């Protein structure tokens, strides 16, 4: 399939999902409502993740889908992914500026001139609020920390691909500790991720991957990330078999976040971090793709895994 065919397949699958009522269009690419059936699948998969990971004693944290702007600025996100970031702005003008805003709105012109940055930005990945939060607690305990998060995330990547949304949910486990603890965690979840998705009878492949670092310097960061095998993705065909969709990802950040926020292990070293991320919408879309739009008709074994 060439790019034109891949786009056509993406558009076709999106249209099918919309026609079936699973996704509710809003007029913006990548921004959808979800039906009750879609949400139930997301909830059942979320519960499945807990079944596989819940016994490890992770500490649950739930943040709103926005991040303290200061944390965001400190995180280096703007160095690597300025093109994906979403910042929250609000009207900051006086009454005169308000009249101008209304006039421009009326005339269909740009009205955003007096919008000013607030203290919050959209969360780009569910784990971002965790590192500065853990850092504030001081040095890690001997065993390090294991955190469980779930959040809507925003990325400015409008697409006709229904699997590439601008707002989507990510469940994550985050390991913070010594390099050994963190590498062991990632190995464990690579195996668990494979087992979990195989139990849902999904065709899958795990492969080395890279993040879409911005610009010319970004190309070097991407290839170094690949060479060091810092990121793996669990891929499932959703709109194309040649370009399968990353449904889970396994990321080793080395001491990147530990260094930025000065997170220390019990013995004083700079903490390493890793996370496993589950793309809730992508997993749901993969299930609908391979087992059909009506969960009542899914294979009995898959229904048993999800509904017990
Ligand atoms: P891709 O390579 O497809 O852009 P990614 O590498 O950006 O994916 P991560 O940053 O690792 O993905 O995010 C963790 C998980 O969140 C992914 O494994 C995926 O399941 C999900 N995800 C990422 N971007 C999107 C998106 N735009 N829409 C829906 N789910 C997404
Ligand atoms: Zn993460
Ligand atoms: Mg991406």
């Amino acid at each position: 399939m060439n790019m034109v065919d891949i786009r056509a397949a993406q558009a076709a699958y999106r249209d099918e999902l919309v026609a079936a009522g699973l996704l509710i269009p809003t007029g913006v690419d990548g921004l959808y409502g979800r039906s009750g059936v879609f949400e139930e699948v997301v909830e059942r998969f979320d519960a499945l993740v807990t079944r596989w990971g819940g016994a490890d004693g992770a500490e649950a944290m739930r943040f709103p889908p926005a991040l303290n702007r200061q944390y965001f600025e400190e995180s280096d996100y703007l160095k690597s992914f300025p093109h994906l970031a979403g910042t929250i702005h609000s009207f900051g003008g006086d009454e005169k500026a308000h009249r101008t805003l209304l006039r421009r709105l009326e005339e269909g012109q740009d009205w955003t001139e007096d919008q000013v940055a607030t203290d919050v930005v959209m969360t780009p990945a569910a784990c971002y609020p965790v590192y500065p939060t853990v850092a504030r607690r001081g040095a890690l305990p001997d065993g390090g920390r294991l955190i469980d998060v779930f959040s809507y995330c925003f990325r400015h990547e409008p697409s006709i691909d229904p699997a590439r949304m601008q707002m989507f949910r990510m469940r994550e486990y985050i390991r913070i500790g010594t390099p050994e603890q963190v590498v062991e965690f990632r190995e464990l979840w690579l195996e668990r991720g494979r087992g979990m998705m195989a139990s849902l009878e999904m065709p899958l492949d795990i492969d080395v991957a890279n993040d879409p670092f911005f610009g010319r310097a970004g190309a070097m960061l991407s290839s170094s990330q690949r060479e060091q095998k810092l990121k793996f993705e669990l891929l499932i065909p959703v709109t194309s078999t040649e370009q399968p969709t990353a449904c889970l990802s396994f990321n080793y950040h080395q001491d990147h976040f530990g260094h930025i926020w000065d997170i220390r292990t019990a013995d004083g070293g700079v903490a390493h971090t890793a996370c496993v991320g589950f793309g809730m919408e992508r997993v749901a879309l993969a299930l609908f793709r391979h087992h059909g739009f009506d969960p009542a008709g899914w294979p009995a074994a898959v229904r048993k895994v999800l509904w017990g």
Side-chain angles (χ1 to χ4, degrees):
M1 277 214 285
N2 59 35
M3 268 324 284
V4 175
D5 293 335
I6 288 173
R7 290 232 177 75
Q10 292 170 345
Y13 190 46
R14 180 176 74 170
D15 291 348
E16 281 177 53
L17 290 158
V18 168
L22 290 165
L23 292 183
I24 305 163
T26 66
V28 175
D29 284 340
L31 190 70
Y32 303 98
R34 290 87 164 126
S35 74
V37 170
F38 193 105
E39 286 304 287
E40 178 161 357
V41 170
V42 167
E43 278 167 30
R44 297 319 303 168
F45 181 70
D46 188 37
L48 181 65
V49 173
T50 305
R51 241 175 294 145
W52 280 78
D56 298 341
E59 175 183 349
M61 293 185 187
R62 294 292 180 266
F63 292 93
L67 186 64
N68 179 337
R69 178 155 65 100
Q70 188 192 326
Y71 293 170
F72 175 75
E73 289 166 357
E74 291 165 350
S75 76
D76 274 356
Y77 195 86
L78 285 169
K79 267 190 207 154
S80 300
F81 315 110
H83 54 308
L84 299 177
T87 50
I88 299 182
H89 287 62
S90 191
F91 177 67
D94 56 13
E95 285 182 69
K96 182 162 170 272
H98 182 219
R99 283 193 294 277
T100 306
L101 182 159
L102 292 179
R103 194 190 68 242
R104 292 195 174 147
L105 198 56
E106 183 88 351
E107 293 167 356
Q109 293 172 359
D110 178 24
W111 56 270
T112 58
E113 188 177 68
D114 284 297
Q115 293 293 109
V116 290
T118 66
D119 286 338
V120 288
V121 302
M122 302 301 288
T123 298
C127 58
Y128 271 70
V130 169
Y131 310 108
T133 300
V134 164
R136 277 206 318 270
R137 293 178 175 170
L140 299 172
D142 276 335
R145 290 195 192 278
L146 177 66
I147 312 290
D148 160 354
V149 293
F150 180 86
S151 175
Y152 257 103
C153 297
F154 174 89
R155 292 183 189 176
H156 186 242
E157 46 184 2
S159 171
I160 52 163
D161 181 357
R164 187 168 299 287
M165 297 181 168
Q166 298 201 57
M167 296 206 72
F168 56 94
R169 280 161 290 183
M170 223 188 266
R171 174 86 187 268
E172 287 194 52
Y173 285 110
I174 301 133
R175 188 78 172 100
I176 308 177
T178 63
E180 296 72 32
Q181 289 167 340
V182 163
V183 167
E184 189 194 341
F185 162 88
R186 196 176 64 154
E187 294 304 312
L188 175 70
W189 272 105
L190 276 163
E191 277 319 301
R192 283 180 177 172
R194 188 188 286 281
M196 264 177 70
M197 300 318 287
S199 80
L200 296 174
E201 300 182 9
M202 291 288 101
L204 63 88
D205 199 14
I206 293 182
D207 204 356
V208 175
N210 64 270
D211 287 309
F213 293 100
F214 184 75
R216 208 179 305 226
M220 276 163 58
L221 291 173
S222 295
S223 60
S224 139
Q225 190 184 29
R226 276 181 176 270
E227 265 160 39
Q228 298 181 74
K229 294 184 162 47
L230 298 180
K231 183 181 184 83
F232 288 89
E233 289 175 339
L234 186 149
L235 302 153
I236 303 175
V238 176
T239 55
S240 131
T241 33
E242 285 110 89
Q243 278 191 21
T245 298
C247 293
L248 275 60
S249 69
F250 311 85
N251 307 290
Y252 178 27
H253 319 115
Q254 297 172 301
D255 64 357
H256 178 75
F257 294 121
H259 185 72
I260 287 175
W261 284 295
D262 197 28
I263 310 174
R264 297 280 167 172
T265 58
D267 61 14
V270 177
H272 282 226
T273 63
C275 63
V276 53
F278 305 86
M280 306 308 285
E281 283 76 14
R282 286 188 178 179
V283 169
L285 292 174
L287 285 162
F288 290 125
R289 162 57 92 195
H290 292 283
H291 298 321
F293 285 173
D294 179 8
W298 289 2
V302 172
R303 287 191 55 80
K304 191 152 182 291
V305 167
L306 288 172
W307 278 273

